[in-house]
Amino acid sequence: MRKLTITTMTSFLFFLISACQNPSSHHEHGLQGQEEFIDVSVKHSPKEIEAGVSFSVQLHITLMENDVNHADDVRIDVWKDGEESKKTTYEATFDGKGMYIVDLLLEESGSYKMMYHVTAKEQHVMNEVPFTVQEGN
């Protein structure tokens, strides 16, 4: 009886080890490539951003080409290039059809970066986007 228990436990242990080491198990079950990931496209308006002039950042959020209209959190961090410690966070507002908007006004010209953070459908996505603010008139 003891030999049967040790054999059973050893077999179970080998089963667990082989199951954990098989990264392609989703592929074998036909699930590979069918994951649904949030996609975020970023635009700003107007295209030429000037210091001291308001502009808006639009984040269009989709999942499997369908608009995401009920995101849990949409925000952007903005900082001047090289000054990440001085970043400012802005909450986006929903504008309909998967579009989330942040209105900004930056007083200084130069190179900037923004990082969007989107939490929706039990996912969190983020990406850094560079942009330039031109000298105002």
Side-chain angles (χ1 to χ4, degrees):
M1 183 70 162
R2 185 177 186 158
K3 186 175 182 181
L4 179 63
T5 303
I6 292 172
T7 304
T8 304
M9 289 179 67
T10 304
S11 297
F12 181 70
L13 183 61
F14 283 124
F15 170 77
L16 283 177
I17 290 171
S18 67
C20 292
Q21 291 180 342
N22 189 358
S24 64
S25 62
H26 292 296
H27 180 67
E28 292 171 5
H29 296 290
L31 298 176
Q32 186 81 6
Q34 291 185 8
E35 295 90 356
E36 298 177 356
F37 294 107
I38 292 174
D39 183 50
V40 180
S41 64
V42 180
K43 296 179 187 173
H44 53 78
S45 177
K47 286 204 179 268
E48 297 290 325
I49 301 170
E50 288 186 26
V53 178
S54 296
F55 68 100
S56 64
V57 175
Q58 301 99 19
L59 299 122
H60 186 219
I61 304 170
T62 57
L63 178 66
M64 300 292 291
E65 299 182 15
N66 295 311
D67 293 336
V68 173
N69 295 321
H70 301 287
D72 299 318
D73 181 37
V74 180
R75 58 189 159 82
I76 63 170
D77 298 326
V78 177
W79 65 94
K80 196 164 187 178
D81 201 14
E83 299 179 10
E84 187 173 1
S85 63
K86 296 179 182 179
K87 70 182 173 188
T88 305
T89 301
Y90 301 90
E91 297 291 324
T93 56
F94 179 63
D95 195 45
K97 297 184 181 177
M99 193 68 69
Y100 295 79
I101 308 289
V102 177
D103 291 319
L104 297 173
L105 178 108
L106 299 172
E107 295 294 339
E108 294 182 34
S109 62
S111 296
Y112 284 81
K113 292 186 180 177
M114 79 174 80
M115 180 173 288
Y116 63 77
H117 300 269
V118 175
T119 304
K121 307 290 185 182
E122 300 179 5
Q123 296 179 46
H124 179 81
V125 293
M126 53 194 269
N127 195 19
E128 191 174 285
V129 179
F131 66 99
T132 303
V133 175
Q134 306 294 325
E135 190 65 42
N137 291 328

